[in-house]
Amino acid sequence: MGPHFLSRIFNPRSVAVIGASERTNALGTLVFANLIDAGFKGELYPVNPKHDTVQGRKAYPDVEAIGRPVDMVVVATPARTVPGILRHCGEHGVKGAVVLSAGFAESGRVGKRLEQEVMEIAKEYDLRLIGPNCLGIIRPNRGMNATFSKNRALPGNLALVSQSGAICTGILDWAESQEIGFSAVVSMGDASDVDFGDVLDYLALDRETRSILVYVEGVRNARRFMSGLRAAARMKPVIVIKSGRHAEGSRAAMSHTGALVGADDVFDAALERAGAVRAMTIQQLFSAARILSSGYRIEGNRLAIVTNAGGPGVMATDRAVELDIAMAQLSAATMESLNKALPEQWSHGNPVDLLGDADAKRFESALKACLDDDGVDGTIVMLTPQAMTDPLGVAQAVTPVARKTQKPVLACWMGDNQVRTAREHFTKERLPHFTTPEASVEAFAYLAAHKRNQRLLLQVPGPLSDRTRTDVQGARLIIESALSEGRKVLSTMESKAILSAFRIPVTQTMRANTASEALVAAGTVGYPVAMKIDSPDITHKSDVQGVRLNIASAESVRSAFQTMIEDTRRLRPDARINGVTIERMHKSTYGRELMVGVLRDPVFGPVISFGSGGTSVEVIKDRAVALPPLNEVIIEGMIARTKVAKLLKEFRNMPAVDDEALEQVLLRVSEMVCELPEIQDMDINPLIADERGLAAVDARLSVDYPPSMPDRYAHMAIHPYPAHLVNNWQLPDGINLTIRPIRPEDARIEQEFVRNLSPEARYFRFMQAVHELTPHMLVRFTQIDYDREMALIAVREQPDGSELQIAVARYTANPDQQSCEFGLVVADEWQGRGIGSHLMNELMDVARSRGLRTMEGKVLTQNTNMIALMHRLGFTSRNSSEDDGIKVVSKRL
């Protein structure tokens, strides 16, 4: 593939500053001075028609007058001038811009129109821009500081992407004092063109970046944000801090950037699925970056603490409990080792208190013992300077022990003057160190969160578990019928019918418009019954005395009907009343009332919620949320985060609920959300679960016409596994193959496939000598984003049930979302049997369905068989512009 479209902004060979000036504290003055001071290595041009020179450099009236190619412009002029400037730049070949000017969408209706004009011009000339209303961009390793900040960014391996310029300057100021360096600093501003997803996509493959820090206020395009975040988090640690965690902060963030702000727990769920980690403060942001960029990874979250003071050990333990970090249970062998090495008065447990007179040898022995324990996943070594303490000596003893283990060792040296040299030693030796017990435990918790979220990143659920038993079309007909009548809230009967179409157990329900019909319905379903008011305008039936339970006789049914209708009309005279619903009481001695819901987040679209049910659901506020599609692993974590989770297990005389039945309901709700974009929100409350199963007692769905969508899952932030593309295909000799999209768990068969190719086939595919895929390449090839790329593999089932991969065809969409680049390889012994043609035709069908118009690939000139195949498939070929022995083959789809 060619260079990323953001290369022209991140690595420009020439920069023009439009509005460069010598006026004190003017934007153009500051940004041009910063580029000079940083030592920008490319060509630098000041553009200002009122000056012959600016800051000692020849000035130009406009970009055309420069007379040489300009990769990027920095615009520091008033908002009203920006459209004209960008049009002129576009006409003269400029492809990248950073617009510092404010006064666009964030300033109101006039600014919004101005921004729209800017975007139309940018699109017309394929000119990509960062901003407007931003601080700019810094690449310290390239000597480029295209910002008006007075801060200096040290070179390093951390990338910072921020929506707020002020946060950028604050972080830069703090980082400079801590000697923390950056590979890139990007202020997004209004992000009207280039957004988080684009920048994260670039940084994922940026060799200078080891970990990425992100400050978010709001998200404009959830799918692009999630795609970029997932791409980056697969490659390197991504730590996110988000403002607007509460309603008041959300309003402020909205007014600041004009981007959408959704519910905070939904944002958490999105980060988890993306494999990123969330920090709550700027200090935590750097703590997380420090620990995650150290290369440490953990298998579990069992923590041991070694300390020379009891108090800090207790504080660390308290924080660990708050963060759900398990304090390791030390084994008998470890206890024996510690008893031999430590004084009799040591704490005899975890935290391991070495006492105030602990010397370097005592710390070393205790740390070794803890790290040798299989029940310990990581250790924090804590020191407070006491009368007999040698902080530097202990640090020098701890470091070699830490270097010999794969388990993380974190240091917490409390104090200041007395421990300064020890901290300098840790920095030099690259051992993560912290100043407080809480910060060190939080850092360990980020390792645990990263491990958990990386596991969630690997989950690629399909939209439907069993197509044959789900009546998607029947459910859709019910929704279409309601919408055609102008109704957006479905009745209880309709809601339950849709649940039944997705095989969710419901209680039998009948509608009654009169007391006589209520009697017939009660006799049909069987006593005792529940009666509920049926009104599209009433969400909480109990608020209008619209629920009667355990009605055991015909007389009671008649009187309940009359009083319920009267009470509802009195309490809600405006409500439309259709009558009542009658359902048989769900009998359950040990039932727990649960709630399963669907809500529409303004940013991330449909979200599934689970928690305690019943009439007090708003008061208890016990819910966990997850982005669909779901699978067993995601559901397990979702349930575990709720308070009601403990009540689902065996409790006193109550048997455990049928957890498999509960899991199935959540899976089927996920299927509903995937397949029915019309669903706006849904409540199943209560869902009564016990040891025998469960049943939806009440349900309410609201629906609406979905917007026209480029693909069937465009309403979702995460594209599900495209199971509809799985198909069986038979070769002429009767051998059966499965053609399907690749999955993360295919890493082993993909590696074997490449390893077994002939050296020539590998060279033709990768255009260089490759024996096998690196871990990095394996991640890129198997953990794909189905929204913008596709890899179809042909596999044959082996006698032992395993799969053998025999071919793969893949494309990746270019940033223009109009074209894509493809690759194809077939195992040597399977060539010449039509497999490559079949895979390519399938791949082109997928690309067409995604709105892509052109497919292009690079083929070595000596790979004559591939070129011939492409010609048979209707591709044309031409020599590469670099004349490097490569043919470019392309086709209009």
Side-chain angles (χ1 to χ4, degrees):
M1 288 184 65
H4 194 283
F5 74 92
L6 282 180
S7 295
R8 63 189 78 152
I9 293 176
F10 278 86
N11 304 311
R13 290 163 297 186
S14 54
V15 174
V17 178
I18 300 175
S21 170
E22 294 181 345
R23 193 158 37 89
T24 306
N25 285 335
L27 280 190
T29 303
L30 294 170
V31 70
F32 197 70
N34 280 342
L35 281 162
I36 293 171
D37 293 346
F40 178 60
K41 298 176 176 62
E43 297 296 323
L44 189 56
Y45 307 112
V47 174
N48 191 323
K50 298 177 182 176
H51 296 274
D52 294 330
T53 62
V54 171
Q55 299 185 33
R57 306 279 180 115
K58 180 186 175 184
Y60 299 86
D62 53 34
V63 167
E64 182 184 7
I66 294 171
R68 288 183 288 278
V70 174
D71 285 344
M72 181 180 87
V73 296
V74 181
V75 183
T77 61
R80 67 180 183 280
T81 66
V82 173
I85 287 169
L86 291 182
R87 182 174 292 282
H88 185 79
C89 289
E91 287 168 350
H92 292 89
V94 177
K95 296 297 182 185
V98 175
V99 181
L100 308 179
S101 325
F104 290 90
E106 82 287 349
S107 65
R109 191 180 305 160
V110 175
K112 202 168 279 187
R113 279 203 300 270
L114 203 57
E115 187 170 305
Q116 194 174 345
E117 187 183 351
V118 163
M119 288 309 303
E120 287 168 0
I121 292 166
K123 192 169 184 180
E124 181 182 348
Y125 292 100
D126 187 28
L127 193 163
R128 305 307 299 266
L129 63 91
I130 287 179
N133 186 29
C134 72
L135 180 72
I137 179 171
I138 308 177
R139 288 283 268 173
N141 299 327
R142 307 291 171 108
M144 183 175 80
N145 180 356
T147 73
F148 55 89
S149 168
K150 295 182 180 179
N151 298 98
R152 186 171 67 102
L154 301 172
N157 301 111
L158 272 178
L160 170 63
V161 187
S162 172
Q163 231 163 344
S164 163
I167 292 290
C168 271
T169 57
I171 289 176
L172 286 173
D173 194 50
W174 188 87
E176 191 174 346
S177 67
Q178 302 291 311
E179 295 189 355
I180 293 169
F182 295 90
S183 59
V185 178
V186 187
S187 164
M188 301 295 299
D190 290 348
S192 46
D193 176 32
V194 172
D195 67 5
F196 279 113
D198 300 316
V199 174
L200 289 167
D201 199 43
Y202 177 85
L203 293 172
L205 298 173
D206 180 41
R207 293 182 180 178
E208 295 173 15
T209 299
R210 286 193 192 152
S211 48
I212 303 168
L213 312 180
V214 182
Y215 171 81
V216 179
E217 290 179 349
V219 176
R220 285 177 183 270
N221 187 314
R223 182 68 76 82
R224 275 165 71 185
F225 176 74
M226 290 296 288
S227 292
L229 200 57
R230 287 160 72 87
R234 286 183 182 110
M235 301 293 188
K236 50 199 71 168
V238 179
I239 305 103
V240 179
I241 184 169
K242 177 182 178 288
S243 62
R245 287 187 285 133
H246 305 293
E248 293 79 5
S250 293
R251 282 193 292 273
M254 184 76 177
S255 65
H256 186 200
T257 64
L260 284 172
V261 180
D264 200 57
D265 57 352
V266 174
F267 188 82
D268 267 340
L271 290 190
E272 287 174 3
R273 288 292 294 279
V277 171
R278 185 174 185 181
M280 294 300 173
T281 66
I282 287 172
Q283 190 167 2
Q284 287 180 6
L285 192 71
F286 282 102
S287 290
R290 186 177 285 163
I291 189 69
L292 288 169
S293 59
S294 68
Y296 279 140
R297 297 294 179 264
I298 57 174
E299 290 305 311
N301 72 338
R302 298 164 298 178
L303 175 65
I305 295 171
V306 176
T307 177
N308 69 340
V314 173
M315 292 168 71
T317 303
D318 284 344
R319 190 68 183 125
V321 170
E322 290 167 1
L323 295 171
D324 288 328
I325 297 298
M327 294 299 290
Q329 296 290 319
L330 302 178
S331 68
T334 302
M335 293 295 287
E336 188 178 335
S337 296
L338 291 169
N339 283 330
K340 287 178 182 174
L342 304 181
E344 191 179 338
Q345 295 79 16
W346 80 280
S347 59
H348 296 279
N350 180 22
V352 179
D353 186 354
L354 309 178
L355 308 178
D357 61 347
D359 58 8
K361 183 67 180 169
R362 202 183 293 176
F363 268 95
E364 182 183 1
S365 302
L367 178 58
K368 277 182 181 173
C370 290
L371 291 171
D372 289 342
D373 192 323
D374 290 338
V376 172
D377 295 307
T379 305
I380 295 174
V381 186
M382 303 174 67
L383 177 143
T384 59
Q386 300 184 38
M388 292 165 281
T389 309
D390 175 10
L392 179 59
V394 174
Q396 289 169 335
V398 162
T399 307
V401 178
R403 202 177 288 121
K404 290 176 187 171
T405 179
Q406 293 295 309
K407 296 179 181 180
V409 176
L410 285 64
C412 173
W413 262 228
M414 297 174 70
D416 191 6
N417 288 333
Q418 294 183 54
V419 298
R420 188 167 294 145
T421 54
R423 287 204 190 118
E424 289 168 358
H425 170 79
F426 286 136
T427 300
K428 182 181 164 193
E429 297 293 327
R430 301 184 67 83
L431 192 143
H433 58 96
F434 305 90
T435 58
T436 65
E438 293 84 359
S440 56
V441 174
E442 286 164 4
F444 182 80
Y446 287 122
L447 287 174
H450 187 256
K451 169 73 177 177
R452 182 184 68 243
N453 294 356
Q454 285 287 305
R455 185 183 179 220
L456 286 174
L457 175 60
L458 291 176
Q459 307 305 312
V460 187
L464 282 170
S465 55
D466 185 352
R467 241 162 232 285
T468 58
R469 296 178 57 204
T470 301
D471 186 8
V472 177
Q473 192 55 35
R476 191 166 283 130
L477 286 173
I478 294 170
I479 293 172
E480 287 172 359
S481 175
L483 288 172
S484 69
E485 295 171 12
R487 292 187 294 115
K488 294 188 177 180
V489 177
L490 303 188
S491 69
T492 302
M493 299 274 288
E494 290 168 328
S495 298
K496 285 189 173 181
I498 288 176
L499 297 185
S500 295
F502 283 84
R503 297 173 292 128
I504 296 172
V506 299
T507 53
Q508 185 185 358
T509 303
M510 295 184 71
R511 180 185 287 153
N513 296 322
T514 65
S516 298
E517 288 180 7
L519 285 171
V520 174
T524 303
V525 301
Y527 292 99
V529 298
M531 183 185 296
K532 298 170 186 175
I533 198 71
D534 183 13
S535 167
D537 303 319
I538 297 172
T539 302
H540 302 296
K541 301 176 179 69
S542 54
D543 291 353
V544 295
Q545 299 178 23
V547 179
R548 303 284 194 282
L549 304 177
N550 286 308
I551 304 173
S553 67
E555 293 81 5
S556 302
V557 167
R558 191 189 300 274
S559 61
F561 180 91
Q562 298 296 349
T563 56
M564 183 179 289
I565 297 293
E566 289 168 6
D567 287 342
T568 304
R569 282 180 176 151
R570 177 172 49 83
L571 294 168
R572 281 290 305 274
D574 60 315
R576 291 167 291 171
I577 299 172
N578 298 329
V580 301
T581 57
I582 302 289
E583 57 195 67
R584 185 182 175 91
M585 285 294 299
H586 182 72
K587 295 175 182 175
S588 176
T589 308
Y590 302 113
R592 282 75 144 183
E593 289 192 336
L594 306 173
M595 184 278 297
V596 173
V598 174
L599 57 105
R600 276 283 173 138
D601 186 77
V603 177
F604 294 102
V607 179
I608 297 170
S609 65
F610 169 80
S612 303
T615 54
S616 56
V617 65
E618 282 93 354
V619 178
I620 296 173
K621 292 184 178 175
D622 174 31
R623 81 166 188 179
V625 297
L627 299 186
L630 307 182
N631 66 4
E632 292 82 355
V633 171
I634 300 163
I635 287 169
E636 186 183 308
M638 184 183 179
I639 293 172
R641 291 199 303 275
T642 61
K643 297 169 191 168
V644 79
K646 293 176 182 174
L647 284 175
L648 303 180
K649 299 182 173 64
E650 195 172 338
F651 178 70
R652 293 185 180 169
N653 65 327
M654 299 174 73
V657 305
D658 184 343
D659 54 1
E660 193 173 321
L662 178 57
E663 180 184 286
Q664 284 301 311
V665 166
L666 286 163
L667 278 175
R668 288 162 189 169
V669 169
S670 172
E671 293 173 357
M672 287 173 59
V673 168
C674 292
E675 298 299 325
L676 300 175
E678 297 88 350
I679 293 177
Q680 299 301 299
D681 60 69
M682 180 189 78
D683 278 317
I684 304 175
N685 181 26
L687 176 75
I688 296 181
D690 60 21
E691 74 281 7
R692 294 170 297 154
L694 40 72
V697 173
D698 204 355
R700 177 185 174 87
L701 274 88
S702 68
V703 294
D704 203 349
Y705 290 108
S708 59
M709 300 185 296
D711 73 76
R712 63 199 292 167
Y713 302 119
H715 62 295
M716 301 168 65
I718 298 174
H719 198 294
Y721 179 76
H724 62 287
L725 298 179
V726 178
N727 63 79
N728 296 315
W729 182 56
Q730 192 174 73
L731 294 176
D733 57 8
I735 292 175
N736 291 312
L737 302 179
T738 299
I739 311 295
R740 63 174 177 79
I742 205 163
R743 302 187 81 129
E745 53 264 40
D746 293 324
R748 182 190 59 78
I749 64 171
E750 173 81 356
Q751 182 68 279
E752 284 298 314
F753 170 68
V754 172
R755 195 177 284 153
N756 292 332
L757 292 172
S758 66
E760 182 185 54
R762 281 198 299 270
Y763 186 75
F764 281 166
R765 170 64 184 88
F766 299 106
M767 299 185 184
Q768 58 181 319
V770 171
H771 173 60
E772 62 177 37
L773 300 177
T774 64
H776 221 64
M777 293 166 77
L778 207 52
V779 167
R780 282 291 303 128
F781 286 170
T782 59
Q783 297 179 33
I784 69 170
D785 181 347
Y786 302 109
D787 183 47
R788 57 183 179 177
E789 52 189 326
M790 183 55 65
L792 296 176
I793 59 173
V795 295
R796 185 186 184 192
E797 188 172 342
Q798 302 289 82
D800 63 358
S802 64
E803 289 181 322
L804 174 71
Q805 182 178 328
I806 62 174
V808 59
R810 64 175 71 238
Y811 76 71
T812 302
N814 291 320
D816 62 9
Q817 297 299 310
Q818 302 289 310
S819 61
C820 62
E821 293 195 29
F822 80 91
L824 168 70
V825 62
V826 180
D828 295 72
E829 63 273 24
W830 291 85
Q831 290 177 11
R833 301 169 77 170
I835 296 169
S837 297
H838 184 80
L839 271 183
M840 281 301 297
N841 280 316
E842 296 260 328
L843 191 71
M844 286 189 284
D845 284 345
V846 176
R848 278 189 208 98
S849 73
R850 300 288 168 83
L852 296 171
R853 297 176 183 173
T854 308
M855 184 174 276
E856 190 173 272
K858 294 178 179 176
V859 185
L860 289 170
T861 305
Q862 62 262 46
N863 191 354
T864 53
N865 288 340
M866 179 66 78
I867 293 170
L869 170 62
M870 291 300 110
H871 286 163
R872 288 198 299 275
L873 290 170
F875 283 72
T876 58
S877 61
R878 66 180 190 276
N879 290 329
S880 166
S881 56
E882 285 84 13
D883 193 25
D884 49 7
I886 291 174
K887 290 271 189 188
V888 177
V889 297
S890 62
K891 179 179 179 177
R892 291 283 293 175
L893 297 174

